[in-house]
Structure formats: structure tokens, C-alpha cells
């Protein structure tokens, strides 16, 4: 088999834009993966090579934080025992769980023994893997197989997307598949999204997952994704997932699960503001959810009252969509993002830690809250580096002080930056700041205890765990920075804050100022380190960095 590399393409939520999974794509040094499989088939080694490709994809996915999709030919599924003998050791080597890996079954399906295919899929599921079918709409994937297996996901073929949005027949086909997905719990995904109008229509049709060059092209090696840091929404502190569900909660109208249709009808008629009724059991746990519009249509039509009035209202109810009160609004939108058809806008029932109904949230308000939070986030970002301002570091330092954590706060800037602008031009100076910003962003993505802020100009603030401070210095001080082939030095001043040694961000900032002055005195790319209530300053770096050849 030729030498291979693996690229990873993100699969994103069409509703929130959040990263949901990565699909591993094998890339040979020459030719295409189809050439590799064709040559393997001619040599009678198709299944063996396909299994090696799948195991290699898992080994290449070095980060276990994001769910992974791995492509496997349908014929290989008929020999799942051999497939598992390669996949399970690869999972152990990378620290992944089977539940975080989706096996994407790809065409052709023709000529396979149906029972062998079903047995193989059952074996993978018994081992904990998720199942997806690829190529729907253009390959030979039988609809009956979808009905028999009810996979976790069905992916629309990229060729089908070429007809979106201009071909009404293609749109109708996607709607039909969306109806099937909504009735069975299958998640529908679109492959090959290239244009904004395609994405907009897919979102409108309720297709919850999309991938393609519009969002991000496949990248060789594991790409890095950073969840956005959101500051505040109307004065309410929020995290990376937007406002909490608890901030958007409304009182729920609850009734016994034995309530009759006439009793529910009276509530809706007498209270026009009520959008839903939650039917609960004796422990206040939600059992059923009644949407106002659908319920009234069912029971107030011709003969509706006579047929339904004395019957249980649960006959017209749907299973409740629930979310915990401490979840973020982004988590809520992702949880209901795959809901199709008439239920797409239903109220969501909010439950406490033991599953009791504590209220409802209305999706329109959640989506508006997330949109407003994203605007707030965008305003807070530095337009040059797309890094947040000092508020991120301020809150992080105050949180760590409150928790009693030990941490390091560092101040980084470029030496003689004004001279860079005066001699090389503002554009060159902007390029240098952007490059430093990218390095810090990459660092924050890799190190769980690191937060980065762009104060302005050439000044950056960084908070790290103690064991991450050395990595910060290696990334920004030990790296040669150049502008038009001229070497530029930087200064890094770090304050090691033991538990109880500082009382606030303001105090830490004040103590950093003399350390920054000391770093500037070194006159070369430097790193100095100090501690509160100590006059000792350690100069850990202080040598001229040569430009790369």
C-alpha cells in the first residue's frame, strides 16, 4: 500500500456553527484513494486494505476530544470481526472510546448478502460504535437497509447538493429524507456544501449537520478549533455556550399524564399566551408534551370534540424534548438541532438534576439570545488578531483567585515596535502582530489552562497554569520573529501567583509592570519571572535570536 497521510474535514451544526465531529480522509502521495482501492481489488486485497485505512485513520486522529468519523466499505462490514481486530487496538492506542467513533458505511452495496451486512453492523453496534450510511441520493444505498438498521446518521451525497437550491425535485427529496429522519431519530447530514444559499436552505429544511469547503476544507493533520469566549449578554455573565437555559426559562403549565383532551383544550382556550402543556407523572417528571397549534387542530376539527374530549390528551402528545437548567443555550440548540418538520419550533421542557419539570424555554428566544451574544463577542474581539480583550484575562484571574488556584500571568510585547512601523511600514507591523496572535491562539488551543488576550497595539496578556509557562516562553520568546528579513525581539514578563499571594486582577497587573520594565532592560528577546512580595527577579531568557535561514 502506498504511503498515506490523513486529512480531517469538520462536520458542523447548520444551526449553531459548532464543531460536531471530524471525518478522516485518507490521502495517498500520488493519485487518489479510489486508485488505491481499485488496485487492492485487482490484487484480491480490497477488504484487507480498507481495514488498514480505517485503523490508520484512528491512529492519525491524535486528539480524542472531538468525535471521529471513519469510512469503511460496505463489503468490509460483512467481515466486521476482522475489522474489529484492527480498530480496537488503534482505539486503545489513541485513548478513544468506541462511542466517539462513527463508522461511515460507503457504497457499493450491490451484490452483498443482506444478512452478512446486517450481522456485521450489529456486531459493530454491540461493541459500541455508531453507524452512518454515506452516499444517500446518488449511490446504491437501499432505503430498505436504512429502515432495517436505523443508523445514527445518513449522509446526503455531494452530487445531490448540486441541485440545491435551484432544483425543486432535489429540495423535495431532501424534505422527504428529513421527514424519515424526524420520524426515526436518524441524524441527516449534507456533504459538499459550497455556497451560502445551500447552507441557508439546508438549515431551513432542518438538516442539522453539514460539511464542505464553505465551512472548512479538509486539513492534513488534526486541525484546531477554539470555542468562542463570550463576554456578557444584557449584563448576564455567559460562557462559551452563550446564555444559560436557566436565564431564559418560562413557567410551564403542567397537568397529570391522565388529563383528558377536554381539560387541556380549556387551558388553551382560556389562556391564549400558553404555547404548550407538559403532562407529568406523580413525581413531576415530564412524560408528554402538547404543542398548542397541533393539539387544537386535532381536537377542534369536524367531530373532533365528540371523538377526543373524554379521551386522554396523551393520545395527541409527543415525547418531551428536555434540557437541564444548567445547560448553555448552544448545548440546547445542538440537542434539538436534528428535530425536523412540525416539531422544529416546539417548546423545550427544562428539568432539574433529578428530572423534574421546572419550566420551558422557547427556541425563538434562545436563538435570539445566542445571536446577540455572538454580536457581543464580535465587538469584544481585536479586529487585527481576532483575540478577545482584557476582560477574558480579568475574569480568568479572578476565577482562579476565588478557587484558590496557583497560576502565572504574563505580559508580552514587541521591543521597539514603533521603530518597526516607522521603518517597515504599518502593514508590516500589522503582519507581525497577526503572526504573534496566531501563535498565541494556537497555544491556547493546545493548553487547557491557557487564556490569551490582546490588550492593544503590540501588548498581549496570557494566563497559564504553572507548568504551561515554559511552553509559552518556548512559543514566543525562543521563536525568531522577523519583519522583511530583519530580526525583531520580544519581551515576556511573568508573575507566578501562589495561592493567596494576590487578591485581584488589578493587583496582579500592578505587580507585572516593574517586571515588564526589567524585561525591556535585557535589550534582547527576553523572559523574566517574579513573584509577589519578593524582590527577586529571574532572567530566564536573554539572548539574541537569529533569523531563520
Amino acid at each position: 500500500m502506498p504511503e498515506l497521510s490523513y486529512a480531517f474535514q469538520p462536520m458542523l451544526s447548520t444551526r449553531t456553527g459548532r464543531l460536531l465531529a471530524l471525518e478522516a480522509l485518507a490521502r495517498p502521495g500520488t493519485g487518489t484513494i479510489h486508485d488505491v482501492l481499485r488496485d487492492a481489488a485487482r490484487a484480491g486485497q480490497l477488504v484487507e486494505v480498507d481495514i488498514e485505512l480505517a485503523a490508520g485513520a484512528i491512529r492519525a486522529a491524535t486528539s480524542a476530544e472531538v468525535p471521529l468519523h471513519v469510512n469503511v466499505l460496505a463489503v468490509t462490514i460483512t467481515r466486521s470481526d476482522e475489522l474489529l481486530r484492527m480498530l480496537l487496538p488503534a482505539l486503545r492506542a489513541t485513548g478513544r472510546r468506541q462511542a466517539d467513533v462513527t463508522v461511515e458505511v460507503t457504497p457499493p452495496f450491490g451484490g452483498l448478502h443482506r444478512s452478512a451486512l446486517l450481522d456485521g453492523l450489529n456486531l459493530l453496534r454491540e461493541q459500541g460504535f455508531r453507524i452512518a450510511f454515506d452516499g444517500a441520493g446518488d449511490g446504491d444505498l437501499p432505503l430498505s437497509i436504512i429502515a432495517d438498521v436505523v443508523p445514527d446518521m445518513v449522509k446526503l451525497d455531494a452530487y445531490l447538493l448540486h441541485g440545491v437550491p435551484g432544483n425543486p425535485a432535489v429540495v423535495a427529496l431532501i424534505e422527504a429524507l428529513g421527514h424519515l429522519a424526524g420520524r426515526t431519530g436518524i441524524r441527516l447530514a449534507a456533504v459538499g456544501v459550497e455556497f451560502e444559499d445551500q447552507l441557508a436552505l439546508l438549515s431551513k429544511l432542518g438538516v442539522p449537520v453539514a460539511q464542505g469547503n464553505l465551512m472548512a476544507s479538509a486539513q492534513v493533520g488534526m486541525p484546531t478549533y477554539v470555542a468562542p469566549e463570550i463576554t456578557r449578554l444584557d449584563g448576564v455573565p455567559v460562557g462559551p455556550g452563550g446564555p444559560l437555559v436557566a436565564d431564559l426559562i418560562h413557567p410551564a403549565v403542567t397537568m397529570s399524564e391522565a388529563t383528558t383532551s377536554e381539560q387541556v383544550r380549556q387551558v388553551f382556550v382560556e389562556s391564549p399566551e400558553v404555547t404548550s402543556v407538559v403532562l407529568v407523572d406523580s413525581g413531576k417528571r415530564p412524560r408528554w408534551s402538547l404543542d398548542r397549534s397541533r393539539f387544537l387542530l386535532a381536537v377542534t376539527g369536524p367531530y373532533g370534540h365528540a371523538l377526543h374530549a373524554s379521551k386522554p390528551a396523551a393520545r395527541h402528545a409527543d415525547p418531551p424534548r428536555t434540557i437541564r437548567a444548567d445547560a448553555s443555550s448552544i448545548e440546547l440548540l445542538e440537542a434539538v438541532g436534528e428535530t425536523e418538520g412540525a416539531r422544529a419550533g416546539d417548546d423545550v421542557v427544562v428539568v432539574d438534576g433529578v428530572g423534574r419539570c421546572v419550566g420551558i424555554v422557547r427556541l425563538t428566544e434562545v436563538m435570539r439570545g445566542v445571536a446577540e451574544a455572538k454580536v457581543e463577542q464580535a465587538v469584544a474581539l481585536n479586529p487585527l488578531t481576532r483575540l478577545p480583550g482584557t476582560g477574558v484575562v480579568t475574569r480568568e484571574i479572578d476565577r482562579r483567585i476565588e478557587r484558590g488556584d496557583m497560576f502565572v500571568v504574563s505580559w508580552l510585547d514587541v521591543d521597539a515596535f514603533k521603530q518597526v512601523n516607522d521603518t517597515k511600514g504599518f502593514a508590516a507591523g500589522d503582519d507581525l502582530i497577526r503572526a504573534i496572535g496566531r501563535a498565541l491562539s494556537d497555544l491556547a488551543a493546545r493548553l487547557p489552562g491557557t487564556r490569551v488576550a490582546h490588550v492593544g497595539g503590540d501588548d498581549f496578556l496570557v494566563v497559564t497554569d504553572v507548568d504551561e509557562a515554559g511552553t509559552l516562553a518556548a512559543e514566543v520568546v525562543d521563536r525568531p520573529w522577523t519583519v522583511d528579513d530583519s530580526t525583531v525581539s520580544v519581551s515576556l514578563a511573568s508573575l507566578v501567583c501562589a495561592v493567596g499571594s494576590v487578591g485581584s486582577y488589578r493587583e496582579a497587573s500592578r505587580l507585572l509592570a516593574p517586571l515588564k520594565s526589567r524585561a525591556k532592560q535585557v535589550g534582547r528577546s527576553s523572559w523574566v519571572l517574579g513573584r509577589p512580595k519578593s524582590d527577586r527577579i529571574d532572567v530566564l531568557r536573554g539572548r539574541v535570536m537569529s533569523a531563520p535561514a
Side-chain angles (χ1 to χ4, degrees):
M1 190 166 64
E3 184 176 345
L4 296 168
S5 62
Y6 286 86
F8 296 87
Q9 186 169 60
M11 303 171 66
L12 306 179
S13 166
T14 60
R15 179 168 288 181
T16 67
R18 288 285 297 274
L19 176 68
L20 303 177
L22 294 171
E23 180 181 357
L25 304 170
R27 297 283 177 83
T30 59
T32 68
I33 195 61
H34 299 292
D35 297 330
V36 174
L37 294 174
R38 185 182 60 248
D39 293 343
R42 289 172 177 168
Q45 295 290 308
L46 178 60
V47 171
E48 290 77 5
V49 169
D50 192 41
I51 290 174
E52 289 185 34
L53 291 172
I58 292 175
R59 289 193 295 269
T62 53
S63 172
E65 297 178 0
V66 182
L68 181 68
H69 283 233
V70 176
N71 292 295
V72 175
L73 292 169
V75 65
T76 303
I77 300 298
T78 64
R79 292 163 58 178
S80 285
D81 52 344
E82 300 174 40
L83 178 63
L84 287 170
R85 279 199 293 271
M86 293 287 286
L87 294 191
L88 294 178
L91 287 174
R92 288 192 292 270
T94 55
R96 283 189 179 272
R97 303 175 306 150
Q98 289 92 310
D100 296 327
V101 176
T102 297
V103 176
E104 287 194 14
V105 186
T106 63
F109 290 84
L112 300 179
H113 291 290
R114 189 186 193 89
S115 60
L117 179 62
L118 295 178
D119 288 345
L121 292 170
N122 287 334
L123 181 58
L124 288 172
R125 274 188 162 160
E126 289 171 1
Q127 289 293 321
F129 291 93
R130 299 181 184 274
I131 301 298
F133 285 146
D134 201 358
D138 191 55
D140 62 345
L141 171 63
L143 293 178
S144 58
I145 288 289
I146 296 177
D148 285 345
V149 175
V150 190
D152 300 277
M153 176 178 286
V154 170
K155 300 181 75 172
L156 303 175
D157 190 85
Y159 181 81
L160 192 66
L161 266 290
H162 292 168
V164 174
N167 189 327
V170 171
V171 174
L173 176 59
I174 295 174
E175 285 182 306
L177 290 172
H179 181 68
L180 169 66
R183 291 288 297 273
T184 58
I186 296 171
R187 212 171 194 191
L188 202 60
V191 178
V193 180
E194 302 285 341
F195 306 106
E196 291 284 354
D197 55 355
Q198 289 178 330
L199 183 61
L201 182 59
L202 290 169
S203 181
K204 182 179 178 181
L205 293 175
V207 178
V209 183
Q211 63 185 113
N213 290 331
L214 177 65
M215 285 76 70
S217 59
Q219 303 177 38
V220 175
M222 291 295 288
T224 299
Y225 298 88
V226 183
E229 183 82 22
I230 300 173
T231 53
R232 298 180 72 85
L233 173 65
D234 296 336
V236 178
V238 297
L244 294 178
V245 167
D247 298 326
L248 302 169
I249 197 169
H250 292 274
V253 176
T254 60
M255 303 180 76
S256 166
E257 58 184 322
T259 298
T260 66
S261 294
E262 176 58 19
Q263 290 171 314
V264 173
R265 189 191 71 83
Q266 289 178 358
V267 170
F268 282 136
V269 170
E270 294 171 3
S271 305
E273 74 281 0
V274 174
T275 55
S276 63
V277 169
V278 182
L279 302 182
V280 298
D281 62 17
S282 58
K284 300 299 182 182
R285 292 178 293 268
R287 294 295 305 278
W288 302 100
S289 177
L290 290 158
D291 174 74
R292 177 188 185 90
S293 298
R294 290 200 302 279
F295 177 81
L296 291 178
L297 283 173
V299 303
T300 60
Y303 312 109
H305 188 271
L307 288 172
H308 305 300
S310 62
K311 301 294 193 302
R315 296 174 61 186
H316 307 286
D318 296 294
R321 300 187 300 179
T322 61
I323 192 76
R324 283 177 57 114
D326 58 356
S328 72
S329 52
I330 290 292
E331 290 172 324
L332 169 61
L333 290 179
E334 288 189 346
V336 302
E338 60 188 87
T339 304
E340 315 293 345
R343 295 205 68 194
D346 282 9
D347 294 342
V348 179
V349 181
V350 183
V351 296
D352 61 14
V354 294
R356 294 172 299 197
C357 175
V358 295
I360 60 167
V361 289
R362 298 184 176 122
L363 286 184
T364 53
E365 295 179 0
V366 174
M367 295 175 72
R368 183 168 61 249
V370 170
E372 291 173 356
K374 286 183 178 293
V375 171
E376 292 289 332
Q377 174 204 2
V379 170
L381 296 180
N382 185 286
L384 186 61
T385 60
R386 308 304 295 168
L387 287 172
T390 54
V392 169
V393 170
T394 301
R395 291 191 299 275
E396 184 65 21
I397 289 176
D398 288 341
R399 278 197 295 265
R400 296 194 187 204
I401 291 173
E402 184 178 347
R403 291 197 306 257
D405 293 343
M406 187 175 180
F407 62 91
V408 179
V409 57
S410 300
W411 189 343
L412 171 74
D413 78 348
V414 178
D415 298 330
F417 183 64
K418 183 178 184 300
Q419 184 178 349
V420 173
N421 283 335
D422 290 345
T423 59
K424 304 296 183 180
F426 289 108
D430 287 349
D431 289 342
L432 174 62
I433 297 303
R434 272 191 289 264
I436 294 174
R438 282 194 298 271
L440 292 173
S441 294
D442 292 343
L443 187 75
R446 296 201 319 269
L447 302 180
T450 295
R451 300 291 182 272
V452 177
H454 187 176
V455 179
D458 62 319
D459 290 302
F460 298 85
L461 280 176
V462 187
V463 179
T464 66
D465 291 342
V466 175
D467 59 352
E468 295 173 347
T471 305
L472 169 64
E475 287 292 328
V476 296
V477 178
D478 295 346
R479 175 186 296 193
W481 299 103
T482 60
V483 177
D484 293 343
D485 297 327
S486 297
T487 301
V488 177
S489 61
V490 298
S491 296
L492 180 68
S494 297
L495 181 71
V496 181
C497 300
V499 178
S501 62
V502 293
S504 67
Y505 161 76
R506 181 178 294 274
E507 182 181 357
S509 175
R510 178 177 57 80
L511 295 173
L512 260 180
L515 294 177
K516 181 187 178 186
S517 297
R518 179 69 182 89
K520 288 291 187 183
Q521 294 170 11
V522 175
R524 295 165 289 182
S525 283
S526 60
W527 179 29
V528 303
L529 186 145
R531 296 163 183 81
K533 303 174 184 177
S534 172
D535 294 331
R536 175 180 172 181
I537 297 177
D538 295 319
V539 179
L540 303 180
R541 299 285 197 281
R543 58 189 177 86
V544 176
M545 303 299 299
S546 59

